[in-house]
Amino acid sequence: MKEKKNLIIFTRNPELGKVKTRLAKDIGDKKALEIYIFLLEHTAKVAKSVNSNKVVYYSEEIPKKDLWNPEHFEKKLQCSSDLGERMMHAFDESFKEGYQNVIIIGSDMYDITEKHIEEAFQKLNNYDAVIGPATDGGYYLLGLKRMYPKIFQQKKWGTDTVLRETLEDLKTINVALLEELNDVDVYEDIEEHPAFQKFLKD
């Protein structure tokens, strides 16, 4: 019987100059790429233990071999250019495949743990949606039991309005919130974080 739970992981293919571009302005493309790969490894380790089906959606292409072990992760390609459309398509695909509880996360949250994801799946048993708020006004996790197309539309992705507007779109249903976590986008996010000090030394 197919697992009822599906964990979607959105990732960018790790290419020099194309990942963590805001961070790279302060530390350079090479170190930004090193940090991004470090974050990918962390996400893969955290997600591997989660009790659900797991699928990685790549931004550009599906590599023949990388750190996402095919024994644990399905691999698919993101569609479209707009982040909202890409997420909506991934959720829609999951529901059409028969999954009942679907969660999406990014691949650049160092503070996310297996417990956060498991807690989100548990909350979907009693709530219509679950959101993990990020300190920058966005969210690091979104969980749904059915489609709400509006939440993926007309958003300025990457800005501090995303969480507020998403909650407004979902005000007629029961939404559970997880604890707020720090996203890794700019230098200030890692400047004093112990895990990143090794990348900041000259």
Side-chain angles (χ1 to χ4, degrees):
M1 188 172 119
K2 183 182 273 290
E3 261 285 1
K4 293 179 180 180
K5 299 185 292 185
N6 195 29
L7 175 64
I8 298 167
I9 303 157
F10 260 33
T11 184
R12 286 182 179 273
N13 293 78
E15 297 178 45
L16 188 69
K18 292 189 177 179
V19 295
K20 291 289 149 215
T21 51
R22 284 188 282 170
L23 186 59
K25 288 175 184 175
D26 288 301
I27 65 171
D29 289 339
K30 186 172 180 292
K31 283 191 175 180
L33 178 61
E34 288 174 3
I35 285 174
Y36 188 63
I37 292 171
F38 172 68
L39 290 166
L40 290 182
E41 291 168 347
H42 172 76
T43 307
K45 184 179 176 183
V46 167
K48 178 183 170 184
S49 306
V50 174
N51 180 27
S52 72
N53 185 68
K54 294 170 275 283
V55 53
V56 178
Y57 276 81
Y58 293 85
S59 61
E60 308 296 332
E61 60 181 1
I62 302 175
K64 286 189 172 66
K65 191 175 182 182
D66 66 358
L67 59 86
W68 302 98
N69 187 333
E71 290 182 18
H72 304 289
F73 300 97
E74 284 184 57
K75 300 185 180 189
K76 296 186 179 185
L77 203 56
Q78 297 173 28
C79 73
S80 180
S81 56
D82 178 74
L83 177 59
E85 287 181 19
R86 284 183 271 147
M87 289 197 294
M88 184 162 66
H89 176 265
F91 270 101
D92 191 47
E93 206 167 39
S94 292
F95 289 129
K96 284 177 178 173
E97 288 175 2
Y99 294 104
Q100 295 175 336
N101 292 350
V102 182
I103 285 172
I104 191 169
I105 61 171
S107 49
D108 51 3
M109 288 288 299
Y110 184 79
D111 291 337
I112 196 169
T113 66
E114 180 191 345
K115 283 184 179 180
H116 291 112
I117 302 170
E118 295 287 9
E119 181 187 353
F121 274 125
Q122 287 174 358
K123 286 187 180 299
L124 280 176
N125 293 325
N126 301 306
Y127 291 83
D128 300 309
V130 58
I131 293 178
T135 53
D136 62 4
Y139 54 79
Y140 62 86
L141 178 151
L142 173 67
L144 300 172
K145 288 199 284 201
R146 67 180 181 86
M147 288 298 291
Y148 300 94
K150 191 177 180 182
I151 66 176
F152 302 110
Q153 298 163 355
Q154 297 180 318
K155 300 288 182 296
K156 292 181 179 177
W157 302 106
T159 69
D160 61 6
T161 63
V162 172
L163 176 64
R164 187 175 70 245
E165 290 176 355
T166 303
L167 289 171
E168 177 67 20
D169 291 340
L170 296 175
K171 65 183 178 183
T172 59
I173 66 170
N174 292 321
V175 180
L177 292 178
L178 303 178
E179 71 169 312
E180 190 178 66
L181 295 181
N182 176 47
D183 207 346
V184 177
D185 284 317
V186 294
Y187 182 70
E188 288 72 27
D189 295 331
I190 63 168
E191 187 176 11
E192 296 180 6
H193 197 303
F196 297 95
Q197 295 311 303
K198 59 184 176 182
F199 298 104
L200 304 181
K201 294 172 184 171
D202 292 329

